[in-house]
Amino acid sequence: MEIRPIDKVDHHWLEKLWIKTWGSKEMVSKGKKVQLSGQRGYVVHDAQVPVGFITYNIGDGELEITSLLSLKANRGIGRMLIDGVVESAKLSNVSRIWVVTTNDNTHALAYYQKRGFVIKEIRTDVMKKYRELKPEIPLTGENGIPIRDEIELEYML
């Protein structure tokens, strides 16, 4: 497997995957819409086939992970992507990496904590407001858990 920066040839399949996975090419983070198209990030390929990606923004001395998806579980793809972002953060003199997810996403919560992220803040019952910005956000998520809260995790460098 190899990792490389996202480039223009990746945009078509990434946009399809964002829509299939999250309903649109946008995310909502801390009450603001985030456009995934055009963001920096990395793609992991296995035998020339993309098997995962990560996107991020850098600003105010911090790096926000805006999307992360591995298409093959338990193969080290997510770890490669997180490692790539950590290296980008170090090269950009960033001291904090952060990411948000929702209360239903127990897989992501466990995954990030295993990678050294800690829960920084829980914004309760904000998803009603976020659905006004992105109506594609479902009412329930993994395992039928109602999607209500936004959870911010951080990794300090």
Side-chain angles (χ1 to χ4, degrees):
M1 284 190 286
E2 65 177 23
I3 186 170
R4 66 165 175 75
I6 290 173
D7 63 30
K8 291 184 183 197
V9 300
D10 298 311
H11 287 270
H12 182 69
W13 72 267
L14 279 171
E15 288 182 5
K16 283 185 173 181
L17 200 50
W18 289 326
I19 291 167
K20 179 181 176 184
T21 306
W22 296 300
S24 77
K25 298 178 286 184
E26 301 172 326
M27 298 294 242
V28 178
S29 174
K30 292 186 174 184
K32 297 178 183 173
K33 273 188 173 182
V34 176
Q35 298 291 330
L36 297 174
S37 296
Q39 288 191 350
R40 290 185 259 189
Y42 294 100
V43 177
V44 172
H45 284 85
D46 187 6
Q48 306 297 332
V49 176
V51 292
F53 66 87
I54 192 167
T55 59
Y56 63 90
N57 284 322
I58 294 178
D60 299 325
E62 300 181 338
L63 184 150
E64 177 189 12
I65 297 171
T66 54
S67 69
L68 169 63
L69 186 64
S70 171
L71 301 174
K72 293 184 179 184
N74 301 314
R75 300 270 314 273
I77 297 164
R79 179 183 38 76
M80 288 176 73
L81 293 165
I82 294 288
D83 289 349
V85 164
V86 168
E87 285 306 309
S88 291
K90 288 177 180 176
L91 291 171
S92 300
N93 294 317
V94 167
S95 60
R96 178 178 183 256
I97 299 171
W98 61 279
V99 62
V100 297
T101 190
T102 50
N103 63 285
D104 70 301
N105 197 344
T106 56
H107 178 76
L109 289 166
Y111 178 80
Y112 283 113
Q113 290 178 84
K114 286 178 190 176
R115 299 294 164 292
F117 286 73
V118 296
I119 295 172
K120 171 70 173 174
E121 187 174 350
I122 300 173
R123 290 179 277 283
T124 58
D125 215 24
V126 296
M127 298 314 287
K128 290 177 193 174
K129 180 180 175 186
Y130 290 8
R131 285 186 188 94
E132 293 173 14
L133 298 171
K134 184 181 174 188
E136 300 90 352
I137 299 172
L139 294 173
T140 56
E142 292 182 18
N143 302 314
I145 298 171
I147 301 173
R148 296 182 304 263
D149 312 318
E150 179 180 65
I151 300 170
E152 181 177 336
L153 297 105
E154 70 178 4
Y155 181 90
M156 300 303 289
L157 297 174

